[in-house]
Amino acid sequence: MKNKSGFSLGIILFLFFICSGQNENQAASENNSETTSSQAHPKLILTAQGVKDIRAQLGNIPIFDKTLEKVKAEVDAEIAKGIDTPIPEDYSGGYTHERHKRNFLILQKAGVLYQILDDEKYARYVKDALMQYEALYKTLPVHPKTRSYARGKLFWQSLNDSNWLVYVSQAYDCIYNYLSKEERNKLETNLFRPFADYISIENPQFYNRVHNHSTWGNAAVGMIGLVMNDEELIQRALYGIKDVDLDKTTKDDDGGYINKDGKAGFLANIEEPFSPDGYYTEGPYYQRYAMYPFLIFAQGLQNIKPELKIFEYKDGVLLKAVDVLLNLTDADGEFFPLNDAQKGMSYFSRELVTAVDIAYHNANQVTGLLSIAKQQDQVLLDDSGFSVALGIKNGKEKPFDKKSINLLDGSNGTQGGVAILRKDDLELVFKYTAQGSSHGHYDKLSFSFYEKGDEVIQDYGLARFVNIEQKGGGNYLKENTTWAKQSIAHNTIIQNETSHFNGEYEKGSTHHSELFVFDASNGNVQIVSAKEKNAYPGTELQRTMVMIKEDNFEKPFVLDIMKVTSNKQNQYDFPFYFMGQPIETNFKYDSPTPMKILGTNNGYQHLWVEGISKADTDNTKFTWLNSGSFYTITTVTNPLDDLFFTRLGANDPKFNLRRDTALMIRRKNSQNTTFVSVIEPHGSYSPVSELAINAVSHISKLKVAYDSTDYTAVSMENDLGNTNIFILCNTNSSKTKEHQLNINGKEYLWKGAYYYSNINK
Amino acid sequence: MKNKSGFSLGIILFLFFICSGQNENQAASENNSETTSSQAHPKLILTAQGVKDIRAQLGNIPIFDKTLEKVKAEVDAEIAKGIDTPIPEDYSGGYTHERHKRNFLILQKAGVLYQILDDEKYARYVKDALMQYEALYKTLPVHPKTRSYARGKLFWQSLNDSNWLVYVSQAYDCIYNYLSKEERNKLETNLFRPFADYISIENPQFYNRVHNHSTWGNAAVGMIGLVMNDEELIQRALYGIKDVDLDKTTKDDDGGYINKDGKAGFLANIEEPFSPDGYYTEGPYYQRYAMYPFLIFAQGLQNIKPELKIFEYKDGVLLKAVDVLLNLTDADGEFFPLNDAQKGMSYFSRELVTAVDIAYHNANQVTGLLSIAKQQDQVLLDDSGFSVALGIKNGKEKPFDKKSINLLDGSNGTQGGVAILRKDDLELVFKYTAQGSSHGHYDKLSFSFYEKGDEVIQDYGLARFVNIEQKGGGNYLKENTTWAKQSIAHNTIIQNETSHFNGEYEKGSTHHSELFVFDASNGNVQIVSAKEKNAYPGTELQRTMVMIKEDNFEKPFVLDIMKVTSNKQNQYDFPFYFMGQPIETNFKYDSPTPMKILGTNNGYQHLWVEGISKADTDNTKFTWLNSGSFYTITTVTNPLDDLFFTRLGANDPKFNLRRDTALMIRRKNSQNTTFVSVIEPHGSYSPVSELAINAVSHISKLKVAYDSTDYTAVSMENDLGNTNIFILCNTNSSKTKEHQLNINGKEYLWKGAYYYSNINK
């Protein structure tokens, strides 16, 4: 472990505390809660003790003070504008949606300001707004927009109504003691209780399931329950609605099953989608979204019901999940866009501010988190944000060290996973997960590749402009299904122009890829390999990706071996969605005019053919330039292979898709075959210095030296004439197993899943 | 003038000094030069006095110390590698080219290090390298690559040979006294003098002209002449080769005339291409390139021949030109890519470090320059860089204030110009220049538009990957002619699918557009208008662009009026090369499959048709999203207008072009017509907050209210129902002229070129 103050160590320490007793923070909050839980407010997130501590330090905790000032300016501006609670009308992006959304965000902040600044105007503002909502809510029918499987009242989805209650319950807690008993009674009877019942009892198809939607619902019901001291709501939050019988075959708007196995409630929502490693099956974009209700409700439970030990639940998975989320970001802090994911979402989001602060506050103050908090440059205005601000002020910050990591998927960690290989400025993301719920994509054994936070070979992400009303109300676009989810939209193999599992959710959901080996213990040869046997029945896929650092190469490169074994002849397509400007190919290609479309279905209908060629040498090479660096793919081809340059955007009459490009290898009438490639970053170019440095690939010959059921060997000759050989055992990944293999008259002897060395050694 | 310490004021002060006597620096350097000019070295750029001053302050001038450390590390690394002076073979990008280029850059630095650090190893290195060059040069034939109209010996162009001598003469000056007389004699006789003669006397077609090439040649010859105290070379540098008779009709590689009017020499090169404003006719990318020899030779002349008063030549145009260059950058410091220009080139280039330092040193230390130097984070390791480092250290830095500016083109300032309108974060660049020499594009009355340094509506720039050998040796690509120079590659009008002046350089070079009015005195209504009568004989174009800041609009918007008057019916194409993701149109369009090409010639052969439509309303609207901001074009159309979405990249079999996009209006069978549009930036979107704010245009109706020979009026109604009217006098731009006009029964009375007000006022 390189950085002794990294989070993983922190987790260990945290678990140690769990075993050896409670740390001081926990003990303190328990003492508080025992004396105050039913009367003293605030108690949910901000606590009475926290308020006292914060007030004592105000002006001396820079990052907290700065956030406070910003929030105060924001809330003051809203107060000056007056309260507006319009009759609900719109989808997201529309006025009434955005207004109610802004209201709940501001109300939560105003409540906090009342407590910290002790200024009654904020309490009055919250009270007035709540009273307006009380008057409005009791008149409201179901929201007029009909697109959702679970319509809300304030918003078109119960999901957004739940968002509202998660935030507003915090506001209510902050002004609880400011209100008279009658006022509280009025709000609880006419607004909060009916609101909680509506999103739960009246919408069990939304509430009683394992899904990020219901996590929000559970948290909403539970948090208002905690504030109101309503044990029925708290139990409903933790364990779901009892005795509800849902049709197990119905689906939601995204095509996901409503509730296939009958599980429900907050604890089930922790149990199911998180793997023991803390990976959330839908991927980091939705994990980020889901983390807020998980963590904020957990913090509330920890403050008011510490006996539940919620942060220890499932081996401390909620706090592990924060570590995982941070590890699932590139060098700029942006999440790898696995499955449905909007690119650009990052750990600068408000959900991650929450996650980092709560993790720091509850996970024995792991100092690596402080460097992320410092980048975020804001904290929560509560006990946890105060802890972070104090930590930063006291100089406890350490770098958050992102390492190569393998994250297992599935509630028991047995359903594939995601591996990230990191070396120098490079990051390779390799996906061999389960389907990932309704937001999953059909991209078994796919990868994406980054340098310094820039995409080099990209994953498309989702086809949606979240909250931009002009684009289908800001919701998922049909191109998300026709393109983004399809296999051809990803850097993986596509057999016979059909997506994995034929693009069928039910099939995809019953399978996952299987890890063969992950080994990052040698920083110069890091390997991940996984197998997929179900994406195409009768065809077995094994992909192995190795990040290699060689002395003769300026930067690490990636060796990519996709071994295909089938019971019949197929057509295999193998695309690389490179980002940037093509610089050079070692093959001649035609650019057909007029421009035609690659195919008719499964995403192929969206691809223009910009260039077409036959591979006329053993090694096909392609160099491009992106963000000041050169990259070359060298791939083993045969004269029957077709090469395509594709451009996205066909059959896209609303410009919903980006005009991204790919180089694709097509191998027709093949049964067993192995795609072997090296992805090689090299050199640099600056339009300011106009210097092109190391602009040419150093791989002079790439060759499949041996390929059998048991072993695949690849030799790589560089431009100095040195040849290295990589041998993978395809059938036994044991570290202790000894192997012996003769290749071209030379005997190789080694132990473990792979061999890598200079051929003359 | 907003910022009293801005550069423009500095220029005035500088001129004042010129009139009232010399400043102290100048007096000091003259005193030095009188006692030292013929013997004491260094004297050319770094001076003996400068060395003394720098050594006294070393360790106390942070930015200088930092640069020194970096340069030392760089040179030490090169010294460790050893000297290589290979036999010349390659074009730019190739090894021998890049090696010799690196050599001259390192030699200049090593010379400086010898002086500043007083460490003999640097002198020895320079001496050894020069002796190797001496041995090599005398054996060299003309460079084997034949593409240039003036081949060099070390490089494929005499231009690059000149670069070499400009740098190496500085290195030689620095070790002059380290060498024995015999050694100097050997170098001067076998290397420097023949080298200077080769690039001048033996290549008069390169040397004896007015062009950035010959400026390098003149500087090279002059600088080595100054070091060697060779008056013949100095005279040849200043005034050109006497009695050379060049064919006035021959052209260079870029299609430019070699020497149409017989002018030559450094002074002529200052005289001709710079306008009195300091604008360089080829545009800022080449001005940047040219500035280095202009300024470095001028600094040498100022140090050794101060009686020439070179920085006062042509009213101080060399220093004005630095101010102009900085004003021709966007918010990120990148040059507006007028004519042939590689995007991304910026004031962070080494040429601009030179320009800023020399300007500060010689222009009475204008403090606005220090903020640029501070951003550059490096200085020249000479007297001027020392001045800058001291200025920064002493806290003299003031912001460099970029304002709206009109820069006249032509050696007398009578050949059109470039106007930049700036307001808040927006910059509009309007081009109505002369042809701009051989690097000029055929884009009369074109524009580009920026927000916060991001291109919103772009100018394509050049089609070249400078110094990337795989792309045609790093030289101009044929697509530069077939696409980048053509009118259709720009945001201007194209008549009958032919470029301005039929794309003929001779015709283009004899004409320029004419300014009608420029007035930025009212920050809320800034206007530029120009006419073009020669691009299409028989057709007169007047384009007026107004940057308007209105209370009801979040950001300023641009009103664009292109008035076309012709003696016959034509087809007019009017493209907007927007950057970003289309969000919404108010018209339906088809996306033809397969995809066809827009035309066959003049750049049209490079455009795919991605979308096609008829304008079916009075106002065509199109909204897009770029870098977190929304933009809407609202343009007045009629039902006969065709609308196209075009995508660049057809007939581009080497991927030499970017896949950029445009919305284009086509108006067929029209004689006189007026294109009226509003380009409206609005709102924001963040993928982190996922908030879409102010995502919809506020222009509800745009109308040509009146259009005659004398007046054009446009009414703009916003979504609050308020209507403003803009009236332009097309024929009289006098500020004092009074106008009266009745539009729809309402009488308008005003004075000056335009009227703008609410219609109800």
Side-chain angles (χ1 to χ4, degrees), chain B residues 2-248:
Chain B
K2 208 169 145 199
N3 168 23
K4 297 228 171 231
S5 54
F7 194 21
S8 303
L9 180 62
I11 289 287
I12 294 162
L13 287 175
F14 171 65
L15 296 173
F16 174 75
F17 269 109
I18 288 169
C19 300
S20 66
Q22 292 156 334
N23 67 32
E24 288 169 69
N25 273 1
Q26 284 177 307
S29 68
E30 277 192 35
N31 287 339
N32 275 342
S33 68
E34 262 165 53
T35 54
T36 62
S37 66
S38 50
Q39 296 101 334
H41 292 264
K43 62 179 184 176
L44 183 65
I45 304 302
L46 194 61
T47 68
Q49 183 62 42
V51 170
K52 210 172 131 190
D53 295 344
I54 290 166
R55 285 188 188 169
Q57 291 282 343
L58 271 193
N60 284 315
I61 32 176
I63 195 172
F64 194 99
D65 295 333
K66 187 176 170 180
T67 308
L68 183 64
E69 195 177 338
K70 222 172 118 188
V71 167
K72 185 176 179 308
E74 184 188 5
V75 173
D76 286 350
E78 282 293 334
I79 291 179
K81 279 193 221 161
I83 299 161
D84 185 21
T85 56
I87 307 279
E89 277 182 18
D90 303 327
Y91 282 124
S92 48
Y95 175 74
T96 72
H97 182 104
E98 296 304 324
R99 185 65 258 170
H100 286 297
K101 181 173 173 182
R102 187 140 185 80
N103 284 351
F104 68 66
L105 293 170
I106 293 293
L107 285 173
Q108 187 269 341
K109 289 172 177 170
V112 163
L113 290 179
Y114 167 60
Q115 286 294 338
I116 293 175
L117 300 176
D118 197 16
D119 181 341
E120 204 187 312
K121 85 166 174 185
Y122 299 107
R124 202 162 46 235
Y125 176 76
V126 175
K127 177 183 151 182
D128 292 349
L130 292 184
M131 289 302 172
Q132 280 200 26
Y133 271 110
E134 187 267 346
L136 174 72
Y137 191 80
K138 58 193 181 192
T139 71
L140 289 181
V142 176
H143 193 280
K145 294 289 189 202
T146 59
R147 200 188 287 159
S148 174
Y149 77 107
R151 289 151 71 189
K153 288 192 164 181
L154 288 178
F155 300 91
W156 69 281
Q157 306 182 92
S158 285
L159 171 62
N160 304 112
D161 277 35
S162 302
N163 299 157
W164 186 93
L165 190 55
V166 162
Y167 283 87
V168 170
S169 59
Q170 297 174 59
Y172 179 51
D173 180 43
C174 282
I175 66 154
Y176 192 94
N177 287 333
Y178 172 81
L179 299 171
S180 69
K181 201 174 168 192
E182 292 67 35
E183 288 165 340
R184 291 198 296 262
N185 197 35
K186 186 175 174 189
L187 289 174
E188 295 188 5
T189 308
N190 298 331
L191 179 61
F192 295 131
R193 181 72 201 220
F195 200 112
D197 287 344
Y198 178 75
I199 58 174
S200 55
I201 291 170
E202 295 180 55
N203 281 285
Q205 81 284 12
F206 158 79
Y207 188 85
N208 243 40
R209 59 190 298 216
V210 170
H211 191 278
N212 75 66
H213 287 187
S214 41
T215 303
W216 278 99
N218 303 154
V221 169
M223 287 171 75
I224 198 66
L226 286 170
V227 178
M228 290 161 57
N229 208 18
D230 183 330
E231 194 60 28
E232 188 192 342
L233 290 184
I234 297 169
Q235 292 301 311
R236 193 192 296 164
L238 291 172
Y239 305 105
I241 315 164
K242 295 293 165 202
D243 308 319
V244 163
D245 201 16
L246 288 172
D247 178 352
K248 291 188 168 51

Side-chain angles (χ1 to χ4, degrees), chain A residues 427-670:
Chain A
E427 298 177 303
L428 178 88
V429 184
F430 180 65
K431 187 188 181 214
Y432 64 99
T433 60
Q435 180 63 25
S437 178
S438 59
H439 290 296
H441 287 194
Y442 301 96
D443 62 335
K444 297 295 158 194
L445 310 187
S446 75
F447 81 103
S448 54
F449 188 46
Y450 294 75
E451 181 169 8
K452 290 184 183 163
D454 289 321
E455 295 176 304
V456 175
I457 296 181
Q458 68 153 341
D459 192 285
Y460 187 84
L462 49 65
R464 176 184 179 185
F465 296 82
V466 184
N467 292 331
I468 297 182
E469 200 185 13
Q470 296 106 310
K471 288 288 192 189
N475 300 307
Y476 280 96
L477 299 164
K478 76 175 171 50
E479 289 79 9
N480 197 61
T481 304
T482 61
W483 168 255
K485 286 192 167 192
Q486 301 293 331
S487 301
I488 186 63
H490 302 83
N491 302 295
T492 185
I493 198 163
I494 301 95
Q495 178 177 300
N496 301 329
E497 300 187 35
T498 59
S499 284
H500 300 170
F501 306 105
N502 204 25
E504 291 169 34
Y505 177 63
E506 290 77 1
K507 279 190 200 161
S509 296
T510 55
H511 298 291
H512 56 83
S513 306
E514 277 164 26
L515 183 65
F516 181 68
V517 62
F518 173 84
D519 185 354
S521 58
N522 175 356
N524 290 330
V525 186
Q526 301 183 63
I527 180 172
V528 59
S529 180
K531 299 186 183 190
E532 171 57 48
K533 300 176 182 174
N534 301 293
Y536 296 113
T539 300
E540 188 176 326
L541 307 170
Q542 176 173 10
R543 190 171 207 166
T544 305
M545 304 197 80
V546 198
M547 192 176 277
I548 296 172
K549 179 81 180 86
E550 267 290 331
D551 281 349
N552 292 325
F553 288 78
E554 179 193 358
K555 304 179 183 183
F557 60 83
V558 174
L559 171 63
D560 174 20
I561 305 171
M562 175 70 97
K563 185 174 174 66
V564 186
T565 315
S566 187
N567 59 8
K568 64 178 173 66
Q569 287 210 333
N570 299 292
Q571 171 186 296
Y572 302 113
D573 286 341
F574 200 64
F576 294 96
Y577 285 91
F578 67 92
M579 300 290 273
Q581 170 67 45
I583 293 295
E584 194 180 30
T585 62
N586 75 339
F587 53 92
K588 285 200 176 140
Y589 53 90
D590 294 324
S591 298
T593 302
M595 191 144 62
K596 293 195 185 120
I597 296 174
L598 185 63
T600 53
N601 274 308
N602 307 322
Y604 283 72
Q605 72 276 22
H606 291 299
L607 291 172
W608 294 109
V609 176
E610 271 204 335
I612 186 164
S613 175
K614 282 276 176 200
D616 49 8
T617 58
D618 295 344
N619 283 185
T620 290
K621 287 183 91 87
F622 169 59
T623 299
W624 72 100
L625 174 64
N626 190 47
S627 290
S629 289
F630 293 96
Y631 303 91
T632 298
I633 288 175
T634 305
T635 186
V636 178
T637 43
N638 69 61
L640 296 173
D641 288 349
D642 293 317
L643 301 171
F644 293 90
F645 281 109
T646 64
R647 174 79 54 183
L648 187 56
N651 287 301
D652 176 28
K654 298 266 180 202
F655 284 104
N656 285 340
L657 298 171
R658 301 190 303 268
R659 267 41 182 169
D660 296 341
T661 187
L663 173 66
M664 188 180 94
I665 306 159
R666 170 167 290 178
R667 195 162 291 167
K668 285 186 286 208
N669 308 319
S670 281

Side-chain angles (χ1 to χ4, degrees), chain B residues 512-514 531-541:
Chain B
H512 55 82
S513 306
E514 278 166 24
K531 299 186 183 191
E532 171 57 48
K533 299 175 182 173
N534 301 293
Y536 296 114
T539 300
E540 189 175 324
L541 307 170

Side-chain angles (χ1 to χ4, degrees), chain A residues 98 101 285 288 342-346 348-351 465-468 470-471 581-584 589 591-597 608 610 623 625 630 645 647 651-659 685-692 695-696, chain B residues 98 101 285 288 342-346 348-351 465-468 470-471 581-584 589 591-597 608 610 623 625 630 645 647 651-659 685-692 695-696:
Chain A
E98 295 304 324
K101 181 173 173 182
Y285 177 76
R288 176 264 334 163
Q342 168 149 280
K343 286 186 181 178
M345 180 56 78
S346 74
F348 295 97
S349 61
R350 61 174 180 272
E351 296 91 345
F465 296 82
V466 184
N467 292 331
I468 297 182
Q470 296 106 310
K471 288 288 192 189
Q581 170 67 45
I583 293 295
E584 194 180 30
Y589 53 90
S591 298
T593 302
M595 191 144 62
K596 293 195 185 120
I597 296 174
W608 294 109
E610 271 204 335
T623 299
L625 174 64
F630 293 96
F645 281 109
R647 174 79 54 183
N651 287 301
D652 176 28
K654 298 266 180 202
F655 284 104
N656 285 340
L657 298 171
R658 301 190 303 268
R659 267 41 182 169
Y685 183 75
S686 154
V688 175
S689 71
E690 296 190 333
L691 291 174
V696 178
Chain B
E98 296 304 324
K101 181 173 173 182
Y285 177 77
R288 176 265 334 165
Q342 167 147 287
K343 287 186 181 177
M345 180 54 78
S346 74
F348 295 96
S349 61
R350 60 175 182 270
E351 297 91 344
F465 297 81
V466 183
N467 292 332
I468 297 182
Q470 296 106 310
K471 287 288 193 189
Q581 170 66 46
I583 293 294
E584 191 178 32
Y589 54 91
S591 298
T593 302
M595 192 146 60
K596 293 197 185 118
I597 296 173
W608 294 109
E610 270 205 333
T623 299
L625 174 63
F630 292 97
F645 281 108
R647 175 79 53 183
N651 287 300
D652 176 28
K654 298 264 181 203
F655 285 104
N656 285 339
L657 298 171
R658 300 189 305 267
R659 266 42 182 169
Y685 183 74
S686 154
V688 175
S689 71
E690 297 191 331
L691 291 173
V696 178

Side-chain angles (χ1 to χ4, degrees), chain A residues 180-195:
Chain A
S180 69
K181 200 175 170 192
E182 293 67 35
E183 288 164 340
R184 290 199 295 262
N185 197 35
K186 186 174 174 189
L187 288 175
E188 295 188 5
T189 308
N190 298 331
L191 178 61
F192 295 132
R193 181 73 202 222
F195 200 111

